[in-house]
PDB file of all heavy atoms in Angstrom:
ATOM      1  N   ALA A  10       8.617  -5.408  -8.818  1.00 96.00           N
ATOM      2  CA  ALA A  10       7.498  -6.335  -8.609  1.00 96.00           C
ATOM      3  C   ALA A  10       6.666  -6.381  -9.880  1.00 96.00           C
ATOM      4  O   ALA A  10       6.356  -7.449 -10.408  1.00 96.00           O
ATOM      5  CB  ALA A  10       6.648  -5.895  -7.430  1.00 96.00           C
ATOM      6  N   PRO A  24      -6.964  -3.654 -29.993  1.00 98.00           N
ATOM      7  CA  PRO A  24      -7.705  -4.246 -31.126  1.00 98.00           C
ATOM      8  C   PRO A  24      -7.755  -5.774 -31.087  1.00 98.00           C
ATOM      9  O   PRO A  24      -8.636  -6.376 -31.700  1.00 98.00           O
ATOM     10  CB  PRO A  24      -6.898  -3.778 -32.352  1.00 98.00           C
ATOM     11  CG  PRO A  24      -6.099  -2.614 -31.886  1.00 98.00           C
ATOM     12  CD  PRO A  24      -5.830  -2.853 -30.429  1.00 98.00           C
ATOM     13  N   TYR A  30      -9.672 -10.856 -33.161  1.00 96.00           N
ATOM     14  CA  TYR A  30      -9.600 -11.900 -32.132  1.00 96.00           C
ATOM     15  C   TYR A  30      -9.341 -13.296 -32.700  1.00 96.00           C
ATOM     16  O   TYR A  30      -9.368 -14.278 -31.983  1.00 96.00           O
ATOM     17  CB  TYR A  30     -10.921 -11.918 -31.345  1.00 96.00           C
ATOM     18  CG  TYR A  30     -12.122 -12.025 -32.247  1.00 96.00           C
ATOM     19  CD1 TYR A  30     -12.528 -13.266 -32.745  1.00 96.00           C
ATOM     20  CD2 TYR A  30     -12.820 -10.889 -32.652  1.00 96.00           C
ATOM     21  CE1 TYR A  30     -13.611 -13.359 -33.612  1.00 96.00           C
ATOM     22  CE2 TYR A  30     -13.890 -10.978 -33.524  1.00 96.00           C
ATOM     23  CZ  TYR A  30     -14.281 -12.212 -34.001  1.00 96.00           C
ATOM     24  OH  TYR A  30     -15.312 -12.311 -34.868  1.00 96.00           O
ATOM     25  N   GLY A  31      -9.093 -13.398 -34.012  1.00 96.00           N
ATOM     26  CA  GLY A  31      -8.984 -14.718 -34.648  1.00 96.00           C
ATOM     27  C   GLY A  31      -7.928 -15.605 -34.004  1.00 96.00           C
ATOM     28  O   GLY A  31      -6.879 -15.147 -33.554  1.00 96.00           O
ATOM     29  N   ASN A  32      -8.222 -16.903 -33.986  1.00 96.00           N
ATOM     30  CA  ASN A  32      -7.253 -17.868 -33.473  1.00 96.00           C
ATOM     31  C   ASN A  32      -6.151 -18.035 -34.514  1.00 96.00           C
ATOM     32  O   ASN A  32      -6.423 -18.428 -35.650  1.00 96.00           O
ATOM     33  CB  ASN A  32      -7.953 -19.211 -33.218  1.00 96.00           C
ATOM     34  CG  ASN A  32      -7.048 -20.184 -32.504  1.00 96.00           C
ATOM     35  OD1 ASN A  32      -5.835 -20.207 -32.721  1.00 96.00           O
ATOM     36  ND2 ASN A  32      -7.631 -21.006 -31.646  1.00 96.00           N
ATOM     37  N   ASP A  45       0.097 -12.769 -38.153  1.00 97.00           N
ATOM     38  CA  ASP A  45       1.057 -11.712 -38.511  1.00 97.00           C
ATOM     39  C   ASP A  45       1.439 -10.874 -37.285  1.00 97.00           C
ATOM     40  O   ASP A  45       2.601 -10.486 -37.116  1.00 97.00           O
ATOM     41  CB  ASP A  45       0.447 -10.780 -39.582  1.00 97.00           C
ATOM     42  CG  ASP A  45       0.306 -11.483 -40.925  1.00 97.00           C
ATOM     43  OD1 ASP A  45       0.875 -12.596 -41.072  1.00 97.00           O
ATOM     44  OD2 ASP A  45      -0.397 -10.946 -41.815  1.00 97.00           O
ATOM     45  N   ALA A  60      18.494 -11.616 -30.744  1.00 98.00           N
ATOM     46  CA  ALA A  60      18.213 -13.013 -31.109  1.00 98.00           C
ATOM     47  C   ALA A  60      17.537 -13.090 -32.466  1.00 98.00           C
ATOM     48  O   ALA A  60      17.094 -12.082 -33.016  1.00 98.00           O
ATOM     49  CB  ALA A  60      17.306 -13.639 -30.050  1.00 98.00           C
ATOM     50  N   CYS A  70       4.390 -16.704 -18.665  1.00 98.00           N
ATOM     51  CA  CYS A  70       5.041 -15.805 -17.705  1.00 98.00           C
ATOM     52  C   CYS A  70       6.512 -16.188 -17.570  1.00 98.00           C
ATOM     53  O   CYS A  70       6.950 -17.196 -18.136  1.00 98.00           O
ATOM     54  CB  CYS A  70       4.372 -15.890 -16.331  1.00 98.00           C
ATOM     55  SG  CYS A  70       4.319 -17.551 -15.639  1.00 98.00           S
ATOM     56  N   ASP A  84      15.178 -33.104 -18.747  1.00 98.00           N
ATOM     57  CA  ASP A  84      14.602 -34.283 -19.399  1.00 98.00           C
ATOM     58  C   ASP A  84      15.360 -34.639 -20.677  1.00 98.00           C
ATOM     59  O   ASP A  84      15.697 -35.803 -20.909  1.00 98.00           O
ATOM     60  CB  ASP A  84      13.129 -34.037 -19.719  1.00 98.00           C
ATOM     61  CG  ASP A  84      12.489 -35.263 -20.349  1.00 98.00           C
ATOM     62  OD1 ASP A  84      12.373 -36.288 -19.639  1.00 98.00           O
ATOM     63  OD2 ASP A  84      12.146 -35.220 -21.545  1.00 98.00           O
ATOM     64  N   ILE A  94      23.642 -27.008 -11.914  1.00 98.00           N
ATOM     65  CA  ILE A  94      24.263 -26.000 -11.045  1.00 98.00           C
ATOM     66  C   ILE A  94      23.456 -24.711 -11.125  1.00 98.00           C
ATOM     67  O   ILE A  94      23.147 -24.223 -12.215  1.00 98.00           O
ATOM     68  CB  ILE A  94      25.725 -25.712 -11.461  1.00 98.00           C
ATOM     69  CG1 ILE A  94      26.556 -27.000 -11.415  1.00 98.00           C
ATOM     70  CG2 ILE A  94      26.344 -24.650 -10.538  1.00 98.00           C
ATOM     71  CD1 ILE A  94      27.965 -26.830 -11.983  1.00 98.00           C
ATOM     72  N   GLU A 125      28.200  -9.107  -1.747  1.00 98.00           N
ATOM     73  CA  GLU A 125      27.445  -8.231  -2.650  1.00 98.00           C
ATOM     74  C   GLU A 125      26.441  -9.012  -3.491  1.00 98.00           C
ATOM     75  O   GLU A 125      25.751  -8.447  -4.333  1.00 98.00           O
ATOM     76  CB  GLU A 125      28.413  -7.466  -3.564  1.00 98.00           C
ATOM     77  CG  GLU A 125      29.317  -6.507  -2.790  1.00 98.00           C
ATOM     78  CD  GLU A 125      30.047  -5.547  -3.698  1.00 98.00           C
ATOM     79  OE1 GLU A 125      30.248  -5.890  -4.891  1.00 98.00           O
ATOM     80  OE2 GLU A 125      30.417  -4.461  -3.227  1.00 98.00           O
ATOM     81  N   LEU A 133      31.924 -21.586  -9.891  1.00 98.00           N
ATOM     82  CA  LEU A 133      31.122 -22.318 -10.875  1.00 98.00           C
ATOM     83  C   LEU A 133      31.959 -23.416 -11.509  1.00 98.00           C
ATOM     84  O   LEU A 133      31.540 -24.570 -11.595  1.00 98.00           O
ATOM     85  CB  LEU A 133      30.593 -21.362 -11.957  1.00 98.00           C
ATOM     86  CG  LEU A 133      29.964 -22.059 -13.167  1.00 98.00           C
ATOM     87  CD1 LEU A 133      28.738 -22.863 -12.760  1.00 98.00           C
ATOM     88  CD2 LEU A 133      29.594 -21.054 -14.261  1.00 98.00           C
ATOM     89  N   ILE A 142      24.645 -31.119 -16.568  1.00 98.00           N
ATOM     90  CA  ILE A 142      23.946 -30.936 -17.847  1.00 98.00           C
ATOM     91  C   ILE A 142      23.404 -29.524 -18.022  1.00 98.00           C
ATOM     92  O   ILE A 142      23.069 -29.129 -19.133  1.00 98.00           O
ATOM     93  CB  ILE A 142      22.772 -31.943 -17.988  1.00 98.00           C
ATOM     94  CG1 ILE A 142      21.893 -31.909 -16.735  1.00 98.00           C
ATOM     95  CG2 ILE A 142      23.313 -33.351 -18.253  1.00 98.00           C
ATOM     96  CD1 ILE A 142      20.621 -32.733 -16.863  1.00 98.00           C
ATOM     97  N   LEU A 181      15.937  -7.611 -18.343  1.00 98.00           N
ATOM     98  CA  LEU A 181      15.357  -7.160 -19.611  1.00 98.00           C
ATOM     99  C   LEU A 181      14.890  -5.707 -19.492  1.00 98.00           C
ATOM    100  O   LEU A 181      14.156  -5.342 -18.585  1.00 98.00           O
ATOM    101  CB  LEU A 181      14.168  -8.055 -19.979  1.00 98.00           C
ATOM    102  CG  LEU A 181      13.672  -7.927 -21.418  1.00 98.00           C
ATOM    103  CD1 LEU A 181      14.665  -8.560 -22.379  1.00 98.00           C
ATOM    104  CD2 LEU A 181      12.297  -8.587 -21.587  1.00 98.00           C
ATOM    105  N   ASP A 194      22.564 -19.645 -23.843  1.00 98.00           N
ATOM    106  CA  ASP A 194      21.834 -20.690 -24.570  1.00 98.00           C
ATOM    107  C   ASP A 194      20.324 -20.559 -24.398  1.00 98.00           C
ATOM    108  O   ASP A 194      19.561 -20.816 -25.322  1.00 98.00           O
ATOM    109  CB  ASP A 194      22.270 -22.074 -24.081  1.00 98.00           C
ATOM    110  CG  ASP A 194      23.717 -22.375 -24.437  1.00 98.00           C
ATOM    111  OD1 ASP A 194      24.115 -22.083 -25.584  1.00 98.00           O
ATOM    112  OD2 ASP A 194      24.445 -22.882 -23.563  1.00 98.00           O
ATOM    113  N   GLY A 236      -0.906 -24.641 -26.654  1.00 97.00           N
ATOM    114  CA  GLY A 236      -1.878 -23.749 -26.027  1.00 97.00           C
ATOM    115  C   GLY A 236      -2.150 -22.554 -26.911  1.00 97.00           C
ATOM    116  O   GLY A 236      -1.214 -21.966 -27.471  1.00 97.00           O
ATOM    117  N   GLY A 245       1.265  -6.974 -26.811  1.00 98.00           N
ATOM    118  CA  GLY A 245       1.710  -6.022 -25.787  1.00 98.00           C
ATOM    119  C   GLY A 245       3.167  -6.216 -25.425  1.00 98.00           C
ATOM    120  O   GLY A 245       3.915  -5.239 -25.244  1.00 98.00           O
ATOM    121  N   LYS A 248       5.285  -4.739 -28.218  1.00 98.00           N
ATOM    122  CA  LYS A 248       5.342  -3.272 -28.183  1.00 98.00           C
ATOM    123  C   LYS A 248       6.221  -2.799 -27.019  1.00 98.00           C
ATOM    124  O   LYS A 248       7.039  -1.881 -27.165  1.00 98.00           O
ATOM    125  CB  LYS A 248       3.923  -2.698 -28.044  1.00 98.00           C
ATOM    126  CG  LYS A 248       3.848  -1.196 -28.178  1.00 98.00           C
ATOM    127  CD  LYS A 248       4.195  -0.762 -29.606  1.00 98.00           C
ATOM    128  CE  LYS A 248       4.359   0.740 -29.708  1.00 98.00           C
ATOM    129  NZ  LYS A 248       4.792   1.133 -31.079  1.00 98.00           N
ATOM    130  N   ALA A 250       8.652  -4.381 -25.650  1.00 98.00           N
ATOM    131  CA  ALA A 250      10.051  -4.687 -25.973  1.00 98.00           C
ATOM    132  C   ALA A 250      10.620  -3.637 -26.916  1.00 98.00           C
ATOM    133  O   ALA A 250      11.761  -3.175 -26.754  1.00 98.00           O
ATOM    134  CB  ALA A 250      10.156  -6.076 -26.598  1.00 98.00           C
ATOM    135  N   VAL A 275      18.719   9.447   1.696  1.00 98.00           N
ATOM    136  CA  VAL A 275      18.466   8.588   2.855  1.00 98.00           C
ATOM    137  C   VAL A 275      19.699   8.566   3.746  1.00 98.00           C
ATOM    138  O   VAL A 275      19.604   8.700   4.972  1.00 98.00           O
ATOM    139  CB  VAL A 275      18.083   7.155   2.402  1.00 98.00           C
ATOM    140  CG1 VAL A 275      18.199   6.172   3.567  1.00 98.00           C
ATOM    141  CG2 VAL A 275      16.668   7.133   1.840  1.00 98.00           C
ATOM    142  N   GLY A 286      23.973  -5.190  -1.439  1.00 97.00           N
ATOM    143  CA  GLY A 286      24.257  -5.437  -2.852  1.00 97.00           C
ATOM    144  C   GLY A 286      25.447  -4.625  -3.318  1.00 97.00           C
ATOM    145  O   GLY A 286      26.108  -3.938  -2.540  1.00 97.00           O
ATOM    146  N   ARG A 345      19.104  -7.824  10.878  1.00 93.00           N
ATOM    147  CA  ARG A 345      19.141  -6.738   9.889  1.00 93.00           C
ATOM    148  C   ARG A 345      18.253  -7.040   8.688  1.00 93.00           C
ATOM    149  O   ARG A 345      17.676  -6.135   8.092  1.00 93.00           O
ATOM    150  CB  ARG A 345      20.570  -6.514   9.405  1.00 93.00           C
ATOM    151  CG  ARG A 345      21.326  -5.574  10.299  1.00 93.00           C
ATOM    152  CD  ARG A 345      22.548  -5.069   9.564  1.00 93.00           C
ATOM    153  NE  ARG A 345      23.598  -4.790  10.514  1.00 93.00           N
ATOM    154  CZ  ARG A 345      24.875  -4.773  10.203  1.00 93.00           C
ATOM    155  NH1 ARG A 345      25.269  -5.037   8.964  1.00 93.00           N
ATOM    156  NH2 ARG A 345      25.770  -4.495  11.103  1.00 93.00           N
TER     157      ARG A 345
END
Side-chain angles (χ1 to χ4, degrees):
Chain A
Y30 53 82
N32 188 325
D45 290 349
C70 56
D84 182 66
I94 302 173
E125 295 193 335
L133 169 63
I142 50 173
L181 194 72
D194 293 316
K248 188 67 190 176
V275 164
R345 274 197 210 156

